[in-house]
């Protein structure tokens, strides 16, 4: 699928594979990384955090592997707390 997206004009294609890490492709390069092991509390928002971290590095013109690592690291931090962002606990 990533190759198909590139052939239709996408500048970059990213495949997030959950516990198996992620891959990214451009016309010139391919990169792959695993996950950052953390004590997972909740995965809510992990995908959004990955995308934000990847895009932050991509827009800063970082190498493709660093973009994946940035996304991975952001997602890992998000998995360390309950909900999509850190929040104070509330009584039930």
């Amino acid at each position: 699928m990533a190759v198909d997206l590139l052939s239709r004009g996408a500048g970059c294609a990213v495949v997030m594979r959950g516990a198996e890490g992620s891959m990214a492709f451009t016309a010139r390069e391919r990169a792959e990384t695993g996950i950052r092991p953390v004590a997972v509390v909740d995965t809510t928002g992990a995908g959004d955090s990955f995308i934000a971290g990847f895009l932050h590095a991509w827009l800063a013109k970082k190498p493709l592997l660093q973009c994946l690592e940035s996304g991975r690291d952001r997602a890992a931090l998000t998995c360390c707390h309950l909900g999509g962002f850190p929040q104070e606990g509330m009584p039930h």
Side-chain angles (χ1 to χ4, degrees):
M1 177 168 216
V3 174
D4 181 49
L5 292 171
L6 292 173
S7 73
R8 292 198 266 156
C12 181
V14 179
V15 180
M16 298 184 296
R17 303 177 302 163
E20 295 191 25
S22 58
M23 302 165 58
F25 306 84
T26 68
R28 294 188 193 135
E29 68 181 307
R30 175 188 189 276
E32 183 173 354
T33 189
I35 63 166
R36 177 168 302 282
V38 294
V40 174
V41 174
D42 186 3
T43 60
T44 301
D48 293 334
S49 294
F50 177 93
I51 293 166
F54 182 93
L55 288 175
H56 182 265
W58 177 260
L59 293 172
K61 302 197 184 306
K62 301 288 184 183
L64 196 55
L65 179 59
Q66 283 185 336
C67 295
L68 287 175
E69 292 169 341
S70 178
R72 172 199 67 195
D73 295 346
R74 289 283 113 201
L77 286 174
T78 297
C79 290
C80 292
H81 53 76
L82 190 60
F85 53 91
Q87 47 198 306
E88 289 187 36
M90 299 181 70
H92 294 300

